[in-house]
Amino acid sequence: MMGVEKVRSYFKSRGIDFPIYEFDISTATVDLAAQALGVKPALIAKTMAFKLKDRYIVVVTKGDARIDNRKFKDTFLSKAKMVKADEVLNVTGYPVGGVCPFGLKEDLDIYLDMTLKEFEYVYPAAGTANSAVKITPEELMDVTSGIEVDVCK
């Protein structure tokens, strides 16, 4: 099962139903997703996979946020090393541009940066480079069993 269907299945298995949007155009970057949805780039929930010394993790931030290397290192006791593009599908189960915090291939810890709480709704990808989910930051925390962190500038 790939992409959007995997996300739908993940939601269904939890008895939840968030709107999933699919587009004829790419939503693979924050700017492209914001254009497709007609929202500010900050509202795109950017999902990034990182390799720590002993494991992989996923960090979700608001779209226009940047990782603060010092905060990241203080939080995870490791430098911020993003998973290489050619490894992303293998680690997360989703392609670059479609990585989301739902139904990951492996049981990865999911960290949500506190910047997401600035908004009523955010829009993470839904497993493909032309999809998105509309969800509140609180719902995102609940459905992903997310752990709140402060790792952005």
Side-chain angles (χ1 to χ4, degrees):
M1 194 173 359
M2 292 301 290
V4 174
E5 291 311 312
K6 195 158 127 186
V7 173
R8 277 197 182 98
S9 175
Y10 178 83
F11 288 164
K12 189 175 181 180
S13 74
R14 284 158 179 72
I16 50 181
D17 184 26
F18 298 109
I20 295 177
Y21 303 99
E22 294 184 81
F23 302 94
D24 293 331
I25 56 174
S26 176
T27 57
T29 67
V30 167
D31 288 336
L32 290 173
Q35 285 175 357
L37 286 155
V39 300
K40 296 182 300 192
L43 292 170
I44 304 305
K46 186 167 50 175
T47 306
M48 299 170 285
F50 290 90
K51 181 168 183 23
L52 303 182
K53 290 176 188 138
D54 58 343
R55 64 192 172 116
Y56 293 99
I57 62 167
V58 169
V59 177
V60 185
T61 70
K62 68 179 186 172
D64 61 356
R66 300 190 55 85
I67 295 291
D68 180 309
N69 289 323
R70 168 56 43 210
K71 286 182 178 180
F72 190 98
K73 190 168 186 178
D74 289 348
T75 301
F76 298 110
L77 307 175
S78 180
K79 283 173 78 171
K81 284 197 287 206
M82 287 188 70
V83 173
K84 292 184 175 86
D86 61 349
E87 294 177 75
V88 168
L89 180 62
N90 199 34
V91 170
T92 67
Y94 297 110
V96 171
V99 176
C100 63
F102 315 112
L104 294 162
K105 181 178 175 183
E106 304 201 12
D107 191 18
L108 305 177
D109 286 330
I110 299 167
Y111 295 90
L112 306 178
D113 190 76
M114 59 190 290
T115 55
L116 293 167
K117 293 197 313 190
E118 296 172 24
F119 307 109
E120 183 178 2
Y121 289 99
V122 294
Y123 299 86
T128 64
N130 66 334
S131 64
V133 175
K134 182 178 183 181
I135 190 168
T136 70
E138 295 78 20
E139 291 165 335
L140 184 59
M141 180 73 77
D142 289 345
V143 76
T144 62
S145 300
I147 303 158
E148 187 176 273
V149 291
D150 177 9
V151 293
C152 289
K153 293 181 179 175

